[in-house]
Structure formats: structure tokens, C-alpha cells
Amino acid sequence: MSLSGSGGKKPLIFYVIIVGVVLLLLNAFVFPSLLEYSVREVGYNDFLNMLEAGKISAVSRGDTQITFVASDEDGRDAYYKTGLWDDPSLTEKLYTSGVNFTEEIPTKTSPILSFLLSWIFPVLIFTLLGNFLMKRMSGARNAMSFGKSGAKIYAETSTGKTFDDVAGQDEAKEALTEIVDFLHNPQKYAAIGAKLPKGALLVGPPGTGKTLLARAVAGEARVPFFSISGSEFVEMFVGMGAAKVRDLFKQASEKAPCIVFIDEIDTIGKKRDGGQFGGNDEREQTLNQLLSEMDGFDSTKGVVILAATNRPESLDKALLRPGRFDRRIPVELPDLLGREAILKVHAKDVKMAPDIDFSIIARATSGASGADLANIINEAALRTVRMGRDFVTQEDLQESVEVVVAGYQRKNAVINENEKRMIAYHEIGHALVAAKQSGSAPVQKITIVPRTSGALGYTMQVEEGERVLLTREDALNKLTTLTGGRAAEELVFNTRTSGASNDIEQATRIARAMITRFGMSDQFGMVALEQVTNQYLGGDTALACSAETAAKIDAEVIRIVNDAHARAVEILRANLDKLHSLSAYLLEQESITGEEFMKLLND
Ligand code: ADP
Ligand code: MG
Ligand code: ZN
């Protein structure tokens, strides 16, 4: 069931129709009889006849007509009017008949009715008309009342989705179960005094199931689900977005416990850059309102805010600090097993042949998102209908993979076998160099599932404890690890690929910082050659030295990185057989854990 967000407001057309019908009814029945009853038009001769017959009790002579009161057939007083006639003897006739003749005669209509008709009714009509036009002009939104935002807030009493509908995102689901538990019984948390984070941010490429996950959380917790998309906050009128935020949180706190979901939060949550001339007032106001609402409400009440974005790097730092969206839940592209699980979830609603092998399809769709896989199943079902069969076969699935994959290749995400091999060697190059140096952070995960962020694979290293200091050896270690990918390409394929571009960027940044800010080079020592210009917004740096020094810095950066590269080549050359065997394994598995890696490395 879905409730309308703005308190059951009926569409405008409803009121217009009501007014129209009332007017028509008045026109057809009430007005004519009123008027007819009050004034009947008669000829001048009838007037004279009635006068002679003594029926007339009062007469009033206006500029263009005569109005008079006479008893009608039933003997009741009625109003009449007649045209003016050039009749010099009229006054005399009136005088002799003894009627009351004045400039004005008291009207018969009741004072209340005439007041209503002449004052209230026109005012009412104009108010309604004015309102209607105003609404039309402001594009169905009420521009005059800033408090009532008219935001499209979608509230669902129950989403009907559960975690079972989301396949393969096990880490994300695990992170969200705590929120579900909290919504089930907030008292348990309140009793101990534990405060759950107010907000969690789902980050990941499009189509990986972020929106689906948010709905599933609400479904699992059996609480109402308020959702709004970030773009809905961005308005023509300054202040409207902020009003919508206020509205949203007001409604949510009335329905607590519940979930508020802000999709595509990057549209309002972009970094506020003070430096830029002018800036975007509306967006900043909206963001500020959101921040203050998040600070303002009491999380023990049971309102949990979820947000989703695929551009986390562009978010304002203020949104991410503790007490706001301090939980960050990655929702990545699915790996082999994840893809198989997603295919199976979506196949449940479709008639399938009993002998379908989903793992073959999963293998063929490296780089596909959950939405792509759902699409593949649907394409296959459509094909089945086209072919006039009753259930989907393996062949239908394979065909639809090609249809959808052709689409990917344009988007540059699905990778052919040979490139996949190169990427596997590149990643194992990093991992192997890291593992063979003492003091490197342990490898946690290696994957060649491409990221839409541009990375074709990555090697994740996680420090064992929290580190606050970076030693010169650590920095050099990192540089060597970063150059390990390229070193593997050179050793095995005797070529250089563009896949190392991110490594190059990072290595350059580290080497530069070592020289210009950390004082780690013998040549320059403890001299600050660069300054951080905006510490809280991005941390860009500016050179603070002469041109000659800048040239020397460049030379030193190149030397440091080249040294690191040479060390990496050396390490890989000494472990060439491991490089081959590990790469082959990664190629087959797509993702391997640090443990698997170490086990293979050590036996
Ligand atoms: P996002 O919000 O991350 O862009 P959505 O949640 O809108 O992605 O996902 C779009 C659709 O793709 C979903 O409605 C669902 O049918 C399918 N889908 C995506 N990921 C999954 C998943 N992990 N399990 C099952 N279906 C998925
Ligand atoms: Mg979405
Ligand atoms: Zn790399």
C-alpha cells in the first residue's frame, strides 16, 4: 500500500470540478427562480391595468424602468418591473390610486441572501480562481506557502522486500542487520545506552542493488519506508529544498520507528566550496538543513537514515563525520558466486528449464551488475516468448548474455580473456611485491572484477593496526608495491598497459610528498617545499619554492620512483613461478582472499 506523502492531499482538478458543478447547479436552479421570483417583467399596459385594479401597493421609478410591488394571482406580494413610458399623467394616476411611490422600494430578497450573493459569493469565486491560477503558474506547486513543500516523498507502510531478494551482497547485508535489529527493539539498545549510527551510506556503482538493499532493510525490520531522491530537493526557488528536508524529517519522526532513504544523495551532498564565486545557495541551504536535521533528532527514537550514492568522493566532508553518515557500506559489483546467486533470485519468477547451469552464465558476465543480470534473465524470457516456447532454456540465456554484453563492451566493462590475463598478472604483481617485502601491509583481497570507478581490478591491503606515522621505509615499500603491477606486465608480456595509470598517479604523489612535505630526501632535508592549501576540502597543495628547486624536485621524484620500480622487477624475477601460478589461479577465481593468496604463495 502506498500513502500519499502530503497528508492525503487531493489533486487540484478535484476542487476545480467541485466549483464547476456548484456553479452550474446554482445557475440552473437557484438563480433563475430567485430572480424570477423577485422581479417579473410586464408591459406598461399591464402596469396600468394593475394600478387601476388597485393591486399595486408601492411603485419606484428608476432611470430606465419602473419597479413595483403588486399582489399576484395568489394574493401574495410580488415584484414587477416595466419599461419607462412617456406618460405625463403617471404621477397623477399614482396619486389618485393612493399607492406609495418613492425613489426606492424595499427589496424582497432577504438581507442575508442578498449579502451573500453580492459580497461573499464573488469574493469566494475570485479566491478560488486566484488560487487555481497561482497553482497553475507555479507548476502545480504552491509558490506562496513555503512551509508546505509539496515534495514527492514516497512513504510505504511496508516494502515487501527482504534480504532474500538481494543476492550476493553478503558483506553489505551483514552490516545492515544491526540496523534491522535496532529497529526491531530499540529498547534493547536504549537500555544499555548504545546509540546506533544515525545514518549509513551505501556506496557503489549503479545497478548493484543499493536501492533494493535499503528497501530490504525496511522490509526486514517491518517499518515504514520514506524515500526521496536527491534531485527532488533541487528546486527553482531558494528555500524550497530546505523546506522539503524539514517536511521529510517531520513526517518521519511522526512515524518512527522508520527508515528514511535519500537516493542519489550526491546531488545535494556535493562539496560546498567556499572559494567559488557565488556558489549554489539553494543546494547549500538544502545541505545545511539536512545536516542540522540529522544533528537535531534523537536516534533512540528509531529513525534510521540510509543514503545511496555512486559518487562518494564528491560528498561534502560534513556529511561523513561521526553522528551523520559515519557508516559506509560498500556495495560492489558482484563476483562469480554473487552473479550466480543473483541470476537464481531473478530466475525464480520465470519458468525455467530444469537443467539450467547458471554458473556458465555467471562466468560469461564478469563485470555485470545486478541490474544487468536481472536484465539478462528478462531478455531470455522475452526471447522464449518470441520463439513460442513454454520455458527458458540455456540457449536463451546464452543468447541474451550476448545481447547485453555487446552493450557492456561499448561501456568498456566486459573484458576479453587476453586482457583479463594481463590484469591478473598486474594485480598478482602488486600482491607478490607487497608480500615479499618485510613490513608491507598484508594483502586482504585481490580481484579482477572491474570497478566502474575505472579500476580493472585491485589488490587491497589492510594494515594490521591503526597507523598514524609513515616511516621512510613504509613510503618506499608502498612505492615498490605500486610499481609491482607494471613490473609484472613488463616481465611477462614485455609490454606496458594503461592499466597502471592510477598506480603511477599514486606513486608520484607519494614520492613528491616524501620530498616536499615529509623531509625524507637527503638532498632537501627538512624544508617545506609545498603547502597544503585547503586542509578540510580536498587537501590540494601549492608549490612554495623557486623554479630551479622545482626542477630539482622533479628529478628527485623520478629517481625515487625508478628505484622503486627496479626493486619491484627484482622481486618478481626472483619469484617468477609464483607469479605464473598465482595469476592463473586468480584468473580462474576472479576474486581471492588474502589467506588463499598466502597459502598458495607458501606451499
Ligand atoms: P542501485 O540503486 O544500486 O543503482 P538498484 O537497487 O536500483 O540499484 O537495482 C536495480 C535492480 O537490479 C533491482 O531492482 C534488482 O532487480 C536488480 N538487482 C541489483 N542488484 C541485485 C542483487 N544483489 N540481487 C538481486 N537483484 C539485484
Ligand atoms: Mg538506486
Ligand atoms: Zn595497479
Side-chain angles (χ1 to χ4, degrees), residues 7 72 93 160 320 340 347 353 373 391 397 414 442 471 500 535 578 602:
D72 62 8
K93 280 178 194 148
L320 305 174
E340 193 174 332
L373 295 168
F391 46 80
L397 278 172
V414 160
T471 64
Q535 191 185 355
K578 286 290 174 198
N602 292 329

Side-chain angles (χ1 to χ4, degrees), residues 165-169 205-213 263 342 345-346 369-371 374:
D165 295 312
V166 190
Q169 298 291 357
T208 45
K210 298 183 292 296
T211 309
L212 186 65
L213 267 168
D263 213 349
I342 294 172
V345 162
H346 287 278
S369 70

Side-chain angles (χ1 to χ4, degrees), residues 423 426-427 430 457-459 481-486 489 499-504 506:
I423 297 164
H426 177 107
E427 296 307 330
H430 285 305
Y458 68 62
T459 304
T481 305
L482 279 168
T483 50
R486 165 58 60 84
E489 292 170 8
S501 63
N502 187 40
D503 301 336
I504 292 170
Q506 278 192 52

Side-chain angles (χ1 to χ4, degrees), residues 554-582:
D554 291 338
E556 184 75 351
V557 168
I558 292 167
R559 192 186 63 76
I560 291 182
V561 175
N562 281 345
D563 284 358
H565 180 249
R567 275 197 304 281
V569 171
E570 214 175 288
I571 292 172
L572 290 181
R573 202 169 265 145
N575 296 281
L576 212 51
D577 51 335
K578 286 290 174 198
L579 179 61
H580 287 303
S581 62
L582 282 163

